[in-house]
């Protein structure tokens, strides 16, 4: 048994409430964390900049959206706009000479302030109507960013991010931005792991399951829905700041359109609603599956001598990628995190056949 429960006895509530009660879980988390810390010294610069940095940043964004969708059960189709607000707000502050640490927090607060206005719609509508309300936020923010040159400089304009420091360390080159993004990701991950064990997390779960039932037992649905939008938007704004400084280095309006919001929703759904680990899995699949599929198709076309036109070759990975997402939604709606949990539960009693959980 890889996940051995025998011999583990909990005599205190603190032991029972551990995030990772099994030793193998703690070992896996520690091993992954050490690997992420050592990644700049283990992998080539191309893989660090092209794969690891975006994976870390988008995983942080998926965690913020998952708090709202998986934690409170509120759909959001305008999260790309939330990230855009944080990105533009923090970049303007940095260009004005504000330290990056303060600009990052201010970007988060700006996103939270605007996001909570649109989140107020959640108090009156649900389901598809709420989706439409958040979709309106995406279009309104896109329009404002494009039409007001004071924000973006114009439709085709690009705002360059000046050199910044993070707690005295210059965020330049390839390694420093990676560690800044990883630091923010770790902070958000720890928050998400612990939020379920707080009264805030339990109230969100009650609102997610049945809001009127939650109201009957004394949970203020008004307050906690607004809090969920506020916290999720704040994380989105911080991610926008990190994205602009650590990855894009220059931002333009076309980087935050609707397709980004749809991509983030897909990351959360494919990874698993309400799952912290699933957010990382979902981002990895959505980001890397098209790349891997493109490489596989190119290899097969070359080896088998197949005459695949460049136009078909460029679109085929996207088709297969869509099929992959639909397949997950049909056969495992709870996402990749459920597949991981199934495998984990299997090894809880391996080599026996039946798991208790």
């Amino acid at each position: 048994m890889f996940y051995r429960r025998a011999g583990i006895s909990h005599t205190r509530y603190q032991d029972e409430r551990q995030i990772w009660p099994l030793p193998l879980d703690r070992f896996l988390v520690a091993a992954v964390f050490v690997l992420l810390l050592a990644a700049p010294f283990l992998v080539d610069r191309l893989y660090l900049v092209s794969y690891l940095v975006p994976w870390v940043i988008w995983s942080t964004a998926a965690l913020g959206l998952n708090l709202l969708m998986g934690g409170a059960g509120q759909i959001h189709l305008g999260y790309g706009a939330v990230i855009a607000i944080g990105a533009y707000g923090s970049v303007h502050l940095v260009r004005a000479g504000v330290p990056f640490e303060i600009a990052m927090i201010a970007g988060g607060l700006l996103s939270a302030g605007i996001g909570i206005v649109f989140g107020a719609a959640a108090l009156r509508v649900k389901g598809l109507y709420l989706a439409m309300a958040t979709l309106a936020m995406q279009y309104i923010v896109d329009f404002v960013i494009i039409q007001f040159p004071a924000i973006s400089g114009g439709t085709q304009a690009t705002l360059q991010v000046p050199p910044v420091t993070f707690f005295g360390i210059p965020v330049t080159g390839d390694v420093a931005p990676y560690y800044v993004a990883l630091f923010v990701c770790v902070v958000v991950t720890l928050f998400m792991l612990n939020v379920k064990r707080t009264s805030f997390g339990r109230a969100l779960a009650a609102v997610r399951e049945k809001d009127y039932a939650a109201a009957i037992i004394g949970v203020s649905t008004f307050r906690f829905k607004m809090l969920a939008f506020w916290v999720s938007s704040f994380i989105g704004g911080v991610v926008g700041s990190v994205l602009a400084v650590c990855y894009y280095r220059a931002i333009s309006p076309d980087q935050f359109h609707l397709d980004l919001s749809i991509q983030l929703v897909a990351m959360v759904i494919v990874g698993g609603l309400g799952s912290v680990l699933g957010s990382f899995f979902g981002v990895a699949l959505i980001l890397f599956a098209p790349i891997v599929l493109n490489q596989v198709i190119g290899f097969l076309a070359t080896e088998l001598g197949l005459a695949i036109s460049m136009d078909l070759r460029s679109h085929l990975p996207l088709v297969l990628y869509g099929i992959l997402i639909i397949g997950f939604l049909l056969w495992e709606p709870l996402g990749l995190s459920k597949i991981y949990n199934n495998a984990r539960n299997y090894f809880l009693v391996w080599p026996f056949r039946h798991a208790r959980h």
Side-chain angles (χ1 to χ4, degrees):
M1 298 180 189
F2 295 122
Y3 289 89
R4 186 178 296 276
R5 284 184 181 273
I8 300 175
S9 58
H10 301 299
T11 57
R12 300 181 307 160
Y13 286 118
Q14 291 85 347
D15 296 334
E16 181 66 25
R17 296 182 71 236
Q18 290 181 89
I19 296 175
W20 299 294
L22 300 183
L24 185 58
D25 284 335
R26 294 195 289 271
F27 170 77
L28 289 176
V29 171
V32 170
F33 184 64
V34 170
L35 283 176
L36 287 175
L37 284 179
F41 309 103
L42 299 177
V43 300
D44 187 73
R45 171 189 173 278
L46 174 66
Y47 294 102
L48 181 71
V49 175
S50 304
Y51 300 115
L52 270 180
V53 172
W55 177 66
V56 168
I57 295 175
W58 292 126
S59 296
T60 314
L63 287 170
L65 183 58
N66 214 341
L67 174 71
L68 188 63
M69 292 183 61
Q74 307 296 307
I75 192 168
H76 200 318
L77 296 182
Y79 208 66
V82 174
I83 294 176
I85 295 168
Y88 274 102
S90 59
V91 168
H92 278 293
L93 288 173
V94 167
R95 288 164 66 96
V98 176
F100 175 50
E101 301 88 343
I102 299 175
M104 186 194 310
I105 302 299
L109 292 174
L110 183 62
S111 292
I114 298 176
I116 201 171
V117 173
F118 289 90
L123 303 177
R124 299 183 61 84
V125 294
K126 296 180 182 178
L128 291 175
Y129 299 102
L130 176 59
M132 295 304 295
T134 54
L135 190 61
M137 174 186 181
Q138 176 72 52
Y139 284 116
I140 291 172
V141 172
D142 279 351
F143 176 82
V144 171
I145 289 177
I146 291 173
Q147 298 299 324
F148 286 80
I151 299 176
S152 62
T155 307
Q156 304 296 329
T158 300
L159 280 184
Q160 294 290 333
V161 179
V164 299
T165 61
F166 189 70
F167 293 116
I169 302 172
V171 187
T172 56
D174 303 322
V175 177
Y178 168 74
Y179 280 123
V180 172
L182 183 61
F183 172 76
V184 175
C185 183
V186 169
V187 172
V188 174
T189 302
L190 290 175
F191 169 76
M192 290 294 294
L193 286 171
N194 285 282
V195 74
K196 291 181 180 177
R197 307 190 302 169
T198 63
S199 58
F200 173 59
R202 288 190 287 272
L204 290 186
V207 171
R208 178 192 62 211
E209 298 302 325
K210 286 291 181 187
D211 52 358
Y212 57 85
I216 290 174
I217 62 175
V219 175
S220 172
T221 56
F222 172 86
R223 177 187 172 197
F224 285 103
K225 281 183 179 179
M226 295 297 281
L227 272 176
F229 268 94
W230 194 94
V231 175
S232 177
S233 299
F234 178 80
I235 294 174
V238 171
V239 170
S241 175
V242 175
L243 185 68
V245 173
C246 299
Y247 186 51
Y248 285 156
R249 315 284 176 93
I251 56 173
S252 57
D254 61 331
Q255 294 168 331
F256 306 100
H257 282 330
L258 178 62
D259 53 346
L260 172 60
S261 297
I262 300 300
Q263 198 174 34
L264 285 167
V265 171
M267 290 172 179
V268 172
I269 292 176
V270 170
L273 286 170
S275 169
V276 174
L277 187 61
S279 299
F280 291 92
F281 287 159
V283 171
L285 181 70
I286 298 298
L287 277 184
F288 303 140
I291 300 172
V292 173
L293 290 174
N294 196 19
Q295 295 295 327
V296 170
I297 291 171
F299 175 77
L300 292 177
T302 305
E303 292 298 318
L304 301 178
L306 300 176
I308 302 178
S309 67
M310 290 304 295
D311 186 48
L312 177 62
R313 191 169 162 177
S314 62
H315 287 86
L316 200 53
L318 297 177
V319 175
L320 295 175
Y321 158 68
I323 293 173
L324 198 60
I325 292 177
I326 293 173
F328 268 106
L329 293 178
L330 286 177
W331 286 293
E332 190 48 86
L334 297 179
L336 294 169
S337 63
K338 185 64 168 61
I339 295 176
Y340 171 79
N341 285 332
N342 289 342
R344 182 178 176 277
N345 289 339
Y346 173 79
F347 284 112
L348 275 172
V349 294
W350 184 84
F352 304 106
R353 294 185 59 186
H354 301 289
R356 295 175 56 191
H357 301 284

